[in-house]
Amino acid sequence: DAGVTQSPTHLIKTRGQHVTLRCSPISGHKSVSWYQQVLGQGPQFIFQYYEKEERGRGNFPDRFSARQFPNYSSELNVNALLLGDSALYLCASSPGAGLPEAFFGQGTRLTVV
Amino acid sequence: KQEVTQIPAALSVPEGENLVLNCSFTDSAIYNLQWFRQDPGKGLTSLLLIQSSQREQTSGRLNASLDKSSGRSTLYIAASQPGDSATYLCAVRTGGYNKLIFGAGTRLAVHP
């Protein structure tokens, strides 16, 4: 079975631009969560989606948005990029909205210049 | 506000040693705790998940314990190998949805 897949793996953007990151969960998983990991720190929660609805949001500005599609894949969008948005963006999937084990993808490395 | 702390921040040991990584959290009202491994620049690999009602979980050379009342968890690695070199992260789940709160990790180096 394929694990959580994220695309692209690496991305370089200029300040002020927009970026879209994509995530496909493990087959059968209906919940997708997004995390931001700055170098040297643990991941920080951004969003959780379950059954195409937002179920949780972390302390991130409105420039960050996400959505989940009928096939349970997800997109994370970031507008008006800042240098501080440079990070590894991780997607996690789990079977439901509750409290099961989370499985992570390999991440998208975003560099803002 | 839940905070997760991992000690030590970095650890270097010779191959074959048994070692303990520590994780502490400030709010004991957790649903479960998960240990992850992260290789440089890569995603997270789940190692062990301990539910709040459990005291420990084992997988191969790994054993994780949980003392919810004192806000502590330990990850024990037996007979360490160079391939164990990575950053180890612990995370707690406190909300009704799938939000994990992570520590900053312990960077482990096992040298031959």
Side-chain angles (χ1 to χ4, degrees), chain A residues 94-107:
Chain A
S94 52
L99 312 169
E101 188 171 3
F103 297 89
F104 282 77
Q106 290 301 295

Side-chain angles (χ1 to χ4, degrees), chain A residues 39-104:
Chain A
L39 198 62
Q41 298 181 18
Q44 298 289 318
F45 173 79
I46 309 175
F47 287 110
Q48 186 208 7
Y49 276 77
Y50 174 70
E51 291 283 16
K52 303 179 288 295
E53 291 187 4
E54 182 184 304
R55 295 301 184 96
R57 173 185 284 255
N59 188 24
F60 280 80
D62 292 343
R63 300 184 295 107
F64 289 77
S65 64
R67 56 179 176 168
Q68 187 177 32
F69 299 99
N71 65 354
Y72 303 111
S73 67
S74 178
E75 284 183 354
L76 175 69
N77 296 283
V78 187
N79 292 323
L81 285 166
L82 304 173
L83 295 179
D85 295 331
S86 296
L88 181 66
Y89 288 84
L90 296 162
C91 173
S93 83
S94 52
L99 312 169
E101 188 171 3
F103 297 89
F104 282 77

Side-chain angles (χ1 to χ4, degrees), chain B residues 5 12 15 22 24 28 34-37 45 49 52 57 62 65 69 71 77 81 86 89-90 94-95 97 104-105 112:
Chain B
T5 303
S12 181
E15 181 177 6
N22 296 293
S24 62
S28 62
Q34 198 166 350
W35 282 93
F36 295 90
R37 168 186 172 139
T45 300
L49 172 71
S52 61
Q57 282 283 351
L62 305 179
S65 67
S69 61
I77 303 177
Q81 303 170 358
L89 295 152
C90 73
T94 58
Y97 51 90

